Amino acid sequence: MADTETEALTDGFHLIIDALKLNDLNTIYGVPGIPITDFGRMAQAEGMRVLSFRHEQHAGYAAAIAGFLTKKPGICLTVSAPGFLNGLTALAHATTNCFPMILISGSSEREIVDLQQGDYEEMDQLAIAKPLCKAAYRVLHAEDIGIGIARAIRAAISGRPGGVYLDLPAKLFGQVMDADAGAASLVKVIDPAPRQLPAPESVACALDVLKSAKRPLIILGKGAAYAQADDDIRALVEKSGIPYLPMSMAKGLLPDTHPQSAGPARSLVLKESDVVMLIGARLNWLLSHGKGKSWGDKPKRFVQIDIEPKEMDSNVEIVAPVVGDIGSCVSALLDGMGDDWSAPPADWTNAITAKVETNVARMAPKLQNNNVPMDYQGALGSLRTIIKERPDAILVNEGANTLDFARSIIDMYQPRKRLDVGTWGVMGIGMGQAIGAAVETGKPVLAVEGDSAFGFSGMEIETICRYNLPICVVVFNNNGIYRGTDVNPTGGADVAPTVFVKDARYDKMMEAFGGVGVYATSPDDLTRAVNEAMDSGRPTLVNAVIDENAGTESGRIGNLNPQSVVSKK
Ligand code: ADP
Ligand code: TZD
Ligand code: MG
């Protein structure tokens, strides 16, 4: 019998680390504190990359975007109650956007929490997380850590990806067990996101519908970008000859300059198309639910490719649902098209090309203006050229006008290079996503931020400087939310709710942490500063002075604002 004095032991701390590493999860985004401080130290000592943030929400956004970029769950680590709640926004965001992520949170002792005896940071975290994520698990015994982490990984990435919560009570970390038994309890998840082949008859039906179309359209969503089936998607689009529209984060899946891109003719193709094939895109508010004014009055038939069967018919009838993973579905469609597929009628594709050319030509001179103070077109014209010259850089983008103008002006050339506010249009993803993208890909990141949007995560520029990440933040400073020109109608001392301190110097914040701060008043200044930042890889913040009159209310979605007939002046 083994001598218990010399028997090798392990504990919860090490089992969690070993389980993550075994599954090739080597990066943790989080904020330390009770009960996970030592866990973070040990994870770093065991060779994991442990990145500490200033606020859990941004660690969570970093983990969520890591999931989108890598198809592996991003890991966010938080302390109990308040830290957990701070991370929860990002977990809900990941779930909403179908990004795989695992929020691991330390928690207080079950016995005390369940009797509500007032433990340190007491909260029934599992119950609170459940409705906001795809799955939620708690591990109480060291021997269950391997299974707990395996389940979390599989839940996050199989089927429709999403956020998973893993609750680890403080006591678990210190639980001791025999090292061999511990090692044997770990699980390396086999084929965590198995292929899901579409039914052959649904593929045939989709092809029939596409064949019968006079004015077909393909819409690519961020699910298509996530799937990493880039070559097949491109082949499908090109072989079919069908014009396509990329949703925001699907831009670059094919280059925005592709001859079949209908991006600049969006209104036309939505209105006039007769058959629309959605690939990894939902008919939610971002596509006006597939009906109403923006879709025109011509009858439409929808084909939809999605891994989630419940997505079909969510807003309108789907005549050809193709359920499966995008890689398998797209390759089945390609096979089924055969060699004699005929391109859509030329009057349709020519009309789109003409519209695209007109709109692009109309925009071109505006993008070259060198106005001071800058307007959105002049400033974004500069950044557009920079991304054209550096197509492998990653663009992070949030704001209202800053988001809408950048989305339409900056062409993307490679898949998964445009990261933005996602399905909720959430402000605050900026620095977290920039950090996650820089860490996961090693590529330079350009974060184009409204001044309001930037404020949600601004303190994380310290994190950027601390880890010396190649991130260039450009703050579009128009003194406020949408515009800087609102006034308080009472004439009182408080400024209007949408207005910030005038001419704030965000560039000086970056200097405070040892980064490079630049004050830019013209498109030429901006070009110079951003190119320098991208060449040097040094953390940089460019305060881009934008005309405070230039923006419009809520950017391009002002129609979603409720209107008062009583108080509106
Ligand atoms: P967008 O906002 O770009 O229109 P959405 O987030 O609305 O995109 O839609 C993404 C869709 O992609 C979701 O319905 C999701 O189920 C689906 N999806 C995600 N990954 C895959 C995959 N690998 N295979 C098939 N569908 C996927
Ligand atoms: N809070 C959160 C978390 N998400 C939101 N989307 C909002 C608030 C509301 N909101 C928007 O939808 S855009 C925006 C807010 C506060 C900021 C717009 O101002 P900006 O951009 O300075 O970032 P522009 O260029 O001035 O329009
Ligand atoms: Mg602003």
Side-chain angles (χ1 to χ4, degrees), residues 57 61 89 376 398-405 421 424-428 449-456 475-484 498 500 546 551-555 557:
Q57 191 176 110
Y61 288 140
T89 313
Y376 287 94
E398 59 176 337
N401 294 283
T402 305
L403 176 85
D404 294 336
F405 282 109
V421 297
W424 271 342
V426 61
M427 297 299 112
E449 302 271 314
D451 52 342
S452 165
F454 172 70
F456 286 76
V475 176
F476 272 42
N477 189 355
N478 64 345
N479 299 337
I481 299 177
Y482 315 137
R483 297 161 72 87
T498 54
F500 295 154
I546 303 288
T552 59
E553 178 83 5
S554 301
I557 53 173

Side-chain angles (χ1 to χ4, degrees), residues 382-404:
S382 291
L383 301 181
R384 173 184 207 260
T385 306
I386 288 170
I387 292 292
K388 187 175 178 185
E389 290 166 357
R390 303 169 187 270
D392 70 336
I394 290 177
L395 179 71
V396 170
N397 187 202
E398 59 176 337
N401 294 283
T402 305
L403 176 85
D404 294 336

Side-chain angles (χ1 to χ4, degrees), residues 153-230:
I153 292 169
R154 196 176 281 283
I157 48 183
S158 61
R160 170 182 275 176
V164 173
Y165 176 60
L166 191 61
D167 192 82
L168 305 181
K171 252 190 230 165
L172 177 76
F173 292 87
Q175 274 181 33
V176 170
M177 70 182 285
D178 173 74
D180 289 340
S185 73
L186 301 184
V187 177
K188 181 165 173 57
V189 183
I190 297 162
D191 195 11
R195 284 196 305 151
Q196 296 194 26
L197 304 183
E201 57 276 16
S202 68
V203 173
C205 170
L207 287 169
D208 283 347
V209 175
L210 287 175
K211 248 181 231 158
S212 69
K214 301 260 179 311
R215 298 178 307 279
L217 172 69
I218 290 174
I219 297 183
L220 301 171
K222 59 171 126 51
Y226 172 81
Q228 297 193 16
D230 308 336

Side-chain angles (χ1 to χ4, degrees), residues 273-406:
S273 52
D274 63 349
V275 167
V276 179
M277 176 159 72
L278 301 153
I279 307 183
R282 286 170 286 187
L283 280 176
N284 56 19
W285 71 281
L286 287 158
L287 283 169
S288 312
H289 306 281
K291 54 198 171 192
K293 224 167 72 193
S294 46
W295 286 90
D297 46 17
K298 304 223 165 63
K300 312 261 173 215
R301 285 179 304 155
F302 287 96
V303 177
Q304 183 161 25
I305 300 180
D306 206 289
I307 202 157
E308 175 57 66
K310 290 202 299 288
E311 190 54 41
M312 306 300 160
D313 308 322
S314 61
N315 286 269
V316 297
E317 179 193 43
I318 303 297
V319 299
V322 183
V323 175
D325 73 274
I326 285 169
S328 302
C329 294
V330 167
S331 88
L333 284 169
L334 267 171
D335 288 348
M337 284 167 76
D339 296 325
D340 55 350
W341 185 268
S342 41
D347 56 348
W348 172 236
T349 49
N350 290 344
I352 296 168
T353 308
K355 188 76 185 169
V356 167
E357 281 169 4
T358 315
N359 286 349
V360 168
R362 189 179 306 145
M363 198 55 160
K366 294 188 192 156
L367 301 179
Q368 277 157 23
N369 87 63
N370 210 24
N371 293 345
V372 175
M374 292 183 271
D375 53 26
Y376 287 94
Q377 289 84 357
L380 288 165
S382 291
L383 301 181
R384 173 184 207 260
T385 306
I386 288 170
I387 292 292
K388 187 175 178 185
E389 290 166 357
R390 303 169 187 270
D392 70 336
I394 290 177
L395 179 71
V396 170
N397 187 202
E398 59 176 337
N401 294 283
T402 305
L403 176 85
D404 294 336
F405 282 109

